[in-house]
Amino acid sequence: MPIATPEVYAEMLNRAKAGEFAYPAINVTSSQTLNAALRGFAEAESDGIIQVSTGGAEFLSGTTVKDMVIGATALAEYARVVAAKYPVTVALHTDHCPKDKLPGFVRPLLDISLERVARGQDPLFQSHMWDGSAVPLEENLDIAQELLEKTSRAKIVLEVEIGVVGGEEDGVVGEINEKLYTTAEDALATADALGLGERGRYMLAATFGNVHGVYKPGHVKLRPGVLKEIQEAVGTKYGKEKPFDLVFHGGSGSLLEEIHEAISYGVIKMNIDTDTQYAFTRPIADHMFKNYDGVLKVDGDVGNKKTYDPRSYGKAAETSMAARIVEACRHLKSAGTRLT
């Protein structure tokens, strides 16, 4: 059971919250980066989350097809086959989906899962993210309500975002301003609109200064205390400790103590993309520089097939990305916590 069933996914999330650790959620764009993620989780003896963005799903379908649903479906089906050989459990998730891409991504994927569940199968993905950060909060939560009803029927966990993650990802740009910090009022409105699990399970990406992209440690000004404030505000009203299952976005450049503080306030999932992209690409660049006259047919020569065979540098890329995921599991304290 390497791909989590709905029941096992719920257990994974519950264990993370109770044990104060978080799962790395690794963005993948190919079968090779998927294999790197699986390898990394296995080497860390950690369960985890593998996710695909709208741009990643489009890329997976082929550069001329450009169909997000086809790409995401192909990834999910491929993952079910190859993950069976790894001694860890992983959940499949779709990352940031803004309003204009809901009809071409999350909604049709939800329909596929509803059909699967009706046939007695598990849903195609275990969770989906609705990114309503670019629309007013009231509209964000109205759409979230509609999606939550559907994800609940499909045995899927919904992820919602309130506040704005700065920087840019897949063409979605968040300005770096006061909206980077979710307020207690935002959190109370979310609990009022979506409940606290009784209407369907969801995770909350609340923002506390998060920024997508590449930054040196200490550059991003995080305020993890914001997470404590919203948990306490909602917890006091509803009589529930740490009522939200929180998600950490835009973590590149974060200090380790900030990550651990965020986990202590209920973060159970942290997205990792920028760092693993670099870890994958760095050995490829090294290979090309060191084997310049082998990968290119310089001055009419024939080159060296062994060096331009994609497997020659692909293996190094997979190894490097897997090692970065092991590091992430250790940082998030999920290493050694696998279910199996």
Side-chain angles (χ1 to χ4, degrees):
M1 190 182 56
I3 302 297
T5 64
E7 295 76 19
V8 168
Y9 192 32
E11 182 182 355
M12 284 173 58
L13 301 181
N14 291 341
R15 289 176 72 248
K17 197 167 187 179
E20 292 199 351
F21 65 88
Y23 293 110
I26 308 299
N27 281 73
V28 300
T29 55
S30 65
S31 60
Q32 191 168 16
T33 50
L34 169 65
N35 284 328
L38 291 168
R39 174 178 172 177
F41 287 132
E43 291 179 355
E45 297 186 347
S46 170
D47 301 318
I49 299 170
I50 292 172
Q51 60 188 26
V52 61
S53 66
T54 55
E58 181 182 278
F59 181 77
L60 275 157
S61 74
T63 55
T64 58
V65 176
K66 296 184 177 181
D67 187 313
M68 294 180 289
V69 174
I70 293 296
T73 301
L75 173 76
E77 297 292 1
Y78 180 80
R80 280 176 163 76
V81 176
V82 296
K85 293 296 183 180
Y86 291 85
V88 290
T89 304
V90 294
L92 304 177
H93 174 82
T94 60
D95 199 14
H96 292 272
C97 182
K99 181 181 176 181
D100 64 315
K101 293 185 179 178
L102 281 174
F105 192 49
V106 165
R107 293 192 193 281
L109 288 173
L110 271 175
D111 289 338
I112 291 171
S113 286
L114 284 168
E115 292 171 3
R116 288 172 62 97
V117 169
R119 296 194 300 265
Q121 297 176 288
D122 289 331
L124 186 65
F125 282 82
Q126 284 66 60
S127 49
H128 290 298
M129 182 188 178
W130 148 235
D131 183 356
S133 61
V135 301
L137 182 62
E138 183 177 358
E139 182 182 5
N140 182 350
L141 295 177
D142 283 345
I143 293 173
Q145 282 181 312
E146 180 259 321
L147 290 172
L148 185 62
E149 187 277 330
K150 204 168 184 178
T151 54
S152 180
R153 286 192 287 117
K155 300 183 180 181
I156 288 171
V157 177
L158 180 67
E159 180 181 329
V160 299
E161 181 173 328
I162 56 173
V164 176
V165 176
E168 185 273 336
E169 182 175 55
D170 270 3
V172 179
V173 179
E175 294 183 11
I176 299 178
N177 54 35
E178 72 282 353
K179 292 183 180 179
L180 296 183
Y181 303 95
T182 299
T183 66
E185 290 74 23
D186 295 337
L188 287 164
T190 300
D192 181 61
L194 305 181
L196 292 174
E198 70 278 5
R199 303 175 208 171
R201 187 163 191 169
Y202 66 93
M203 295 181 282
L204 178 65
T207 56
F208 51 105
N210 321 56
V211 179
H212 288 133
V214 185
Y215 299 92
K216 294 181 179 180
H219 179 85
V220 178
K221 305 302 180 184
L222 293 179
R223 286 167 40 199
V226 167
L227 302 180
K228 181 181 180 182
E229 292 168 9
I230 68 173
Q231 291 279 43
E232 289 180 347
V234 175
T236 298
K237 178 176 180 178
Y238 291 91
K240 187 176 181 179
E241 185 179 3
K242 296 181 185 176
F244 291 121
D245 295 333
L246 297 176
V247 179
F248 188 158
H249 287 232
S252 296
S254 302
L255 301 175
L256 190 57
E257 54 263 36
E258 294 171 332
I259 294 172
H260 288 172
E261 183 181 356
I263 290 173
S264 75
Y265 299 143
V267 166
I268 59 172
K269 172 180 180 279
M270 180 173 172
N271 289 9
I272 299 175
D273 187 17
T274 301
D275 291 349
T276 48
Q277 285 180 342
Y278 182 78
F280 185 85
T281 302
R282 179 63 181 81
I284 297 176
D286 184 63
H287 178 91
M288 298 304 169
F289 282 124
K290 288 180 177 178
N291 297 282
Y292 176 82
D293 57 351
V295 297
L296 296 179
K297 297 180 179 181
V298 180
D299 296 330
D301 206 344
V302 296
N304 184 343
K305 183 180 183 301
K306 289 183 178 180
T307 59
Y308 60 75
D309 182 335
R311 291 170 293 183
S312 63
Y313 50 86
K315 291 174 183 177
E318 180 183 315
T319 300
S320 176
M321 181 173 167
R324 181 61 184 84
I325 292 167
V326 171
E327 180 183 1
C329 291
R330 291 172 180 160
H331 286 173
L332 300 187
K333 305 181 182 182
S334 70
T337 66
R338 66 178 181 178
L339 284 166
T340 53

